[in-house]
Short mmCIF file of all heavy atoms in Angstrom, two decimals:
data_model
loop_
_atom_site.label_atom_id
_atom_site.label_comp_id
_atom_site.label_asym_id
_atom_site.label_seq_id
_atom_site.Cartn_x
_atom_site.Cartn_y
_atom_site.Cartn_z
N GLU A 17 7.63 -5.17 2.75
CA GLU A 17 6.89 -6.42 2.49
C GLU A 17 5.38 -6.24 3.00
O GLU A 17 5.29 -5.97 4.14
CB GLU A 17 7.50 -7.59 3.21
CG GLU A 17 8.91 -7.89 2.64
CD GLU A 17 9.61 -9.08 3.38
OE1 GLU A 17 9.41 -9.19 4.55
OE2 GLU A 17 10.39 -9.79 2.63
N THR A 27 -1.93 -8.58 -6.07
CA THR A 27 -1.25 -8.07 -7.26
C THR A 27 -2.19 -7.20 -8.06
O THR A 27 -1.92 -6.10 -8.63
CB THR A 27 -0.40 -9.11 -8.02
OG1 THR A 27 -1.25 -9.99 -8.52
CG2 THR A 27 0.64 -9.66 -7.28
N GLN A 39 7.34 -8.78 -9.99
CA GLN A 39 8.25 -9.82 -10.62
C GLN A 39 8.32 -11.02 -9.67
O GLN A 39 8.24 -10.83 -8.41
CB GLN A 39 9.74 -9.25 -10.58
CG GLN A 39 9.80 -8.01 -11.42
CD GLN A 39 11.20 -7.30 -11.21
OE1 GLN A 39 11.84 -7.46 -10.12
NE2 GLN A 39 11.45 -6.29 -12.02
N THR A 56 9.94 4.78 -11.01
CA THR A 56 11.16 4.70 -11.64
C THR A 56 12.32 4.96 -10.65
O THR A 56 12.14 5.46 -9.68
CB THR A 56 11.16 5.70 -12.78
OG1 THR A 56 11.11 6.97 -12.26
CG2 THR A 56 10.09 5.31 -13.79
N LEU A 66 5.22 -8.29 -2.31
CA LEU A 66 4.04 -8.97 -1.60
C LEU A 66 4.42 -10.26 -1.29
O LEU A 66 5.04 -11.06 -2.17
CB LEU A 66 2.79 -8.98 -2.59
CG LEU A 66 2.36 -7.65 -3.15
CD1 LEU A 66 1.17 -7.92 -4.15
CD2 LEU A 66 2.00 -6.60 -2.15
N MET A 67 4.32 -10.79 -0.07
CA MET A 67 4.64 -12.05 0.37
C MET A 67 3.47 -12.81 0.95
O MET A 67 2.62 -12.13 1.55
CB MET A 67 5.86 -12.07 1.34
CG MET A 67 5.46 -11.56 2.67
SD MET A 67 7.00 -11.56 3.79
CE MET A 67 7.06 -13.33 4.20
N GLY A 71 0.76 -16.35 8.96
CA GLY A 71 -0.29 -16.56 10.12
C GLY A 71 -1.50 -15.99 9.90
O GLY A 71 -1.81 -15.59 8.72
N ASP A 93 -8.50 12.11 -4.40
CA ASP A 93 -9.91 11.66 -4.68
C ASP A 93 -9.90 10.52 -5.78
O ASP A 93 -10.69 9.64 -5.53
CB ASP A 93 -10.86 12.85 -4.99
CG ASP A 93 -11.04 13.78 -3.85
OD1 ASP A 93 -10.91 13.40 -2.66
OD2 ASP A 93 -11.19 14.85 -4.08
N ILE A 99 -9.30 2.81 -5.17
CA ILE A 99 -9.21 1.81 -3.96
C ILE A 99 -10.46 1.15 -3.70
O ILE A 99 -10.59 -0.04 -3.60
CB ILE A 99 -8.64 2.58 -2.61
CG1 ILE A 99 -7.25 3.03 -2.77
CG2 ILE A 99 -8.87 1.74 -1.46
CD1 ILE A 99 -6.83 4.05 -1.80
N LYS A 110 -10.48 10.59 4.71
CA LYS A 110 -9.54 11.75 4.20
C LYS A 110 -9.67 12.85 5.21
O LYS A 110 -10.83 13.20 5.66
CB LYS A 110 -10.08 12.24 2.97
CG LYS A 110 -9.35 13.42 2.37
CD LYS A 110 -9.91 13.81 1.01
CE LYS A 110 -9.31 15.09 0.39
NZ LYS A 110 -9.86 15.39 -0.89
N GLU A 126 -6.50 -7.60 1.48
CA GLU A 126 -5.82 -8.59 2.37
C GLU A 126 -6.03 -8.18 3.82
O GLU A 126 -5.59 -9.03 4.77
CB GLU A 126 -4.57 -8.84 2.06
CG GLU A 126 -4.17 -9.12 0.60
CD GLU A 126 -5.02 -10.27 -0.07
OE1 GLU A 126 -4.81 -11.41 0.46
OE2 GLU A 126 -5.78 -9.84 -0.93
N GLY A 127 -6.72 -7.08 4.16
CA GLY A 127 -7.03 -6.66 5.49
C GLY A 127 -5.86 -5.72 6.11
O GLY A 127 -5.90 -5.53 7.23
#
Side-chain angles (χ1 to χ4, degrees):
E17 292 175 330
T27 56
Q39 302 164 346
T56 64
L66 303 181
M67 69 176 286
D93 295 330
I99 291 167
K110 177 182 178 180
E126 310 308 298

